[in-house]
Amino acid sequence: MAAVQWRSCMRNYEAELQRCRPEGALVEFGDYHPLKPIMVTDTKTRRGARKGSTSSSSSSSSCAPADPLSSMLDGTDPLSMFAAASATEAPVMSHSASTGDLGRKRKEKDEEVVGHDFESWSTKRGEILARFTTTEKLSINLFMGSDRGKAPSPGSSAVSEKVRTRLEELDDLEEGSQRELLNLSQQDYANRIEELNQSLKEAWASDQKVKALKIVIQCSKLLSDTSVIQFYPSKFVLITDILDTFGRLVYDRIWTMCSDPRPLPESFTVDDVNDTAKETCLNWFFKIASIRELLPRLYVEAAILKCNRFLNKSGIPETLPRLTAMIRGIGDPLVAAYTRAYLCRVGMEVAPQLKDSLNRNFFDLLGTFRQVSGESVQNQLVQQRVEVPEYLTLYSPAINWILQCIAYRAPEVLLTEMMERCKKLGNNALLLNSVMRAFRPEFVAARATDFISMIKDCDEAGFPKHLLFGSLGRSLACADPPESERLTILNEAWKVVTKVRSPQDYINCAEIWVEFTCRHFTKREVNTVLADIIKHMTPDRAFEDAYPQLQSVIRKILTYFNDFSVLFSMERFLPFLDMFQKDSVRVEVCRSIMEVFIKHQMEPTRDPVILNAMLHICKTMHDSVNALTLEDEKRSLAVLIIGFIRMVSFGRDFEQQLSFCVEARATFCNLESVLVQLIHTVNQLAMETSRVMKGSHSRKTAAFVRACAAYSFITIPSLSSIFSRLSLYLLSGQVALANQCLSQADAFLKAAVGILPEVPRSISVEGKLRSSENFLLDFINNFLSTLLVVPDHPEHGVLYLVRGLLNMVQDYTWEDSSDAKVRVYVSALPLLAAMSQEAYLYSIPKVDSNETLYGGDPKFLSEINKLCETLIGQILDHMKALGRDEQSTRRQGALAFSLFGVLLAHGDLRNNKLSQLSVNLWNLGHKHGYCETRVSVRTLEYIKHQAQQPDMNHLTETVQRLALQSRT
């Protein structure tokens, strides 16, 4: 190995750069576009043409290669393909089918169809179940099927026996065995109802239709029970689910009977229904008509109302008014109200165009309000200890639904008429509340002052006025009232809101009106509202029970006030934040503020009001981090804080910027990624200073950039991630070097070399342990490229940083089957070769590198050559050791080819021994056939090309000795 004598080839980087530049080609931009597909013209000669004939040729153009961006211009993208497919399928329909479709479309156009803007019942179901609860014990009658509903015995086949059996079934509809369950909790009650729903499905699946009907009848009877009146709305929701299931089963059953042998179309007529299906449908209606009690008969017939489509066209229009009139026979006003709600619900599903029945339901409902003050209702409330305001709220889901159905796409005239009816009724507060919630917000907003006057006339005892103003506020949050009335509306509403004594009722209403205030007024009015909220919610720490509402207030303010200089200038905004005493809630509020700040703050800021407030908010988030905090939570908080730090800029006041970073380092010491960002910010500050000074520092700016370097040098050791420390040491050293801070740069690079032994052999990446070799090699290669421009320290000898790095690599504990150490040696050879050049490949302005310090001193070059020979010797020894193991031949070949490339690019192959070594490495790399043939061929072509250059004739002999060996 000692016989190898290294000598670097002298390189002219400028000449090499000129040779490598591609030749320019003129392009006519009229015919050229980077996304335009390449057109290849393929000219073929006809077979029958005479020899020498050039006129008979055909030309075809094709796109090669196919451009993914231009393909959609040809209509081949997925959306165009679907459109083309539907266009080609359309003419296939028969004439009769197309005529039927046209008639069907005309019919659907004439009828009013419920659109997506109609809020469905399913969206209200969960809210009702959560709102109307009870701790009282409930009872339920479970149906126990009797044997009389079973099929007759085989012997009873006569017609008279069948008729007798049918009659017995009809008589037995309401007389099945029952079992009353008492003392049920609310959850137990819901579970029992669900059991009944499952029993209904099982009975239907086992063809026990009469048993299924009995279950539905018994469930309907439960709706007449108001013994636990607070739970009635939830009971209505649970039991109507069973009715809906029954109606769907009956309709699907008859539909299936009509679909044999061909499917029944969606928009079928009575003529499409066969006689068997009609008879079955009539049979169901006859069975229901035989139910003795009014309430179950009403509910069950309403559940299968849609089945009237199978009998005649006028079935539904005739049945709806009849059922509406039948409801008048129900004595309890609450039960009657929910029965009307169910009928409206079914009516909107099957015939939304029949608004007359819906209107009649509403007007009948107005008449029942007189019963609320009647003796029977009052006695019931006294018996159950229910106050009148609480009792009236039980009506709200039913009334809201009825009014929603009526108001849906209703003309202004109808809505105005209904509003006048409410006035004549004496401004019933419950009804007025439902009107404001059901009518279109635009309608309510345009008449906001009228509604306010109606609210004033309402009786406070029956229904609290703050609830009415809450409903009005919801409408005004969706639609704008006339501009001239807005201040009057706010004043009138807040007069009532601020007088509410209960903190919970107060904040529920105030939260709604905050949005109206933010939407139409300035920070002055919003600040007044916040002050009033603080005044009401601070006594007795009432805010602790209203965190969701207070968070909603913050969200609404942030929605309309994105200018944080305005937001933080509100005197009561920060005191409002102080009400969030619970840690988790406070952090969540701070997070929401930071998200809005990052989203809407487009320009960097130096406003002291914003900075102090945001620092306080970020510190609140940071201080919530503890040993139990999850990494994802830390990461998300750090991202928000980093977003704030990036938006802080003091312009040319660099010292103030550095002071901010010093304060932020002390504030956010527990979040490592924030510290990393602060180091990057300070490094960027140093480079910005250099840019302003155009690289020529004054005494003051030189001291400042040294202070920046000191900041980074002090902060980096506090990081736990070893690779973060390594990369930041290197980056800070490069910044210090760029600012002519040589001693600081030297300290950074020495620190990086000093912690290399601490790098673990494996690291966690996304929760998985992986080898750290690739990360370490990337860092060392980056480090080596920096060392080219780092001048040697006058007190530490020649190439002391390079030697220190290589010594650390030598002593590092690498994996047994790894070639990483030798790969570092291979990577160091190009650095050493570059250091021996008269002019370096790159340099830093105003920094004298070794090329200037040594000026091509033979002793310096001799040190470089000795170091290169040592490294080559280490590499060859390692390759020799690999050759002893047959399983390591691939690794040996790869290392040999890699070292051959370094010798070819950086070694002086005029030296016979070096040239012979390169040939030996080439042969060793191809010995076992592991080298890629394509790479080998291109390498040989490069060497041949280089041999033609001036002063490179010696490569001609070398290339003749390099042969390609087959894989066999």
Side-chain angles (χ1 to χ4, degrees), residues 905-948:
H906 303 282
D908 187 358
L909 298 187
R910 294 184 182 88
N911 185 318
N912 292 332
K913 293 184 178 180
L914 209 56
S915 176
Q916 181 60 45
L917 176 60
S918 65
V919 173
N920 294 340
L921 290 171
W922 172 275
N923 294 332
L924 182 60
H926 291 78
K927 181 178 180 181
H928 301 285
Y930 291 127
C931 275
E932 289 189 29
T933 305
R934 183 185 304 175
V935 176
S936 301
V937 170
R938 293 183 63 182
T939 303
L940 282 177
E941 291 175 354
Y942 168 77
I943 299 172
K944 292 176 182 177
H945 175 74
Q946 288 293 99
Q948 298 173 5

Side-chain angles (χ1 to χ4, degrees), residues 290-306:
S290 68
I291 301 174
R292 296 189 184 96
E293 295 186 24
L294 173 62
L295 192 65
R297 185 166 72 250
L298 256 171
Y299 269 109
V300 180
E301 184 172 358
I304 67 165
L305 180 65
K306 191 176 181 181

Side-chain angles (χ1 to χ4, degrees), residues 768-813:
K768 298 180 180 178
L769 282 179
R770 295 186 180 178
S771 173
S772 62
E773 273 190 6
N774 291 332
F775 298 96
L776 187 55
L777 288 176
D778 288 342
F779 167 77
I780 291 176
N781 288 332
N782 193 359
F783 193 90
L784 288 171
S785 65
T786 304
L787 292 182
L788 177 64
V789 294
V790 178
D792 283 340
H793 196 285
E795 298 178 2
H796 294 108
V798 179
L799 303 177
Y800 84 102
L801 278 176
V802 178
R803 295 180 187 276
L805 175 65
L806 294 176
N807 289 334
M808 285 295 180
V809 171
Q810 176 72 27
D811 297 336
Y812 184 77
T813 306

Side-chain angles (χ1 to χ4, degrees), residues 658-777:
L658 182 60
S659 298
F660 169 80
C661 291
V662 171
E663 181 182 357
R665 179 178 62 187
T667 305
F668 308 122
C669 57
N670 290 332
L671 292 174
E672 184 161 314
S673 52
V674 177
L675 295 179
V676 171
Q677 176 61 38
L678 287 171
I679 295 170
H680 284 302
T681 301
V682 170
N683 283 334
Q684 187 178 0
L685 190 60
M687 294 307 298
E688 182 68 14
T689 305
S690 177
R691 186 189 66 80
V692 171
M693 300 302 295
K694 298 180 180 179
S696 300
H697 284 294
S698 64
R699 180 179 298 179
K700 182 177 180 180
T701 58
F704 176 76
V705 294
R706 286 196 294 270
C708 291
Y711 178 97
S712 299
F713 195 77
I714 293 171
T715 310
I716 292 174
S718 63
L719 304 178
S720 61
S721 171
I722 182 67
F723 283 102
S724 294
R725 279 184 278 156
L726 283 171
S727 61
L728 287 172
Y729 271 133
L730 178 58
L731 179 63
S732 300
Q734 293 168 344
V735 170
L737 207 58
N739 284 280
Q740 302 107 50
C741 301
L742 300 185
S743 60
Q744 284 78 9
D746 199 63
F748 279 119
L749 297 178
K750 283 172 63 178
V753 173
I755 64 172
L756 277 178
E758 299 177 21
V759 177
R761 294 174 63 176
S762 60
I763 56 174
S764 177
V765 179
E766 297 180 354
K768 298 180 180 178
L769 282 179
R770 295 186 180 178
S771 173
S772 62
E773 273 190 6
N774 291 332
F775 298 96
L776 187 55
L777 288 176

Side-chain angles (χ1 to χ4, degrees), residues 597-607 610-611 643-644 646-649:
F597 178 82
I598 292 171
K599 181 179 180 181
H600 294 284
Q601 187 73 26
M602 299 301 176
E603 297 294 330
T605 181
R606 60 183 298 172
D607 188 333
I610 295 179
L611 295 185
F644 162 63
R646 287 175 174 170
M647 296 308 298
V648 176
S649 174

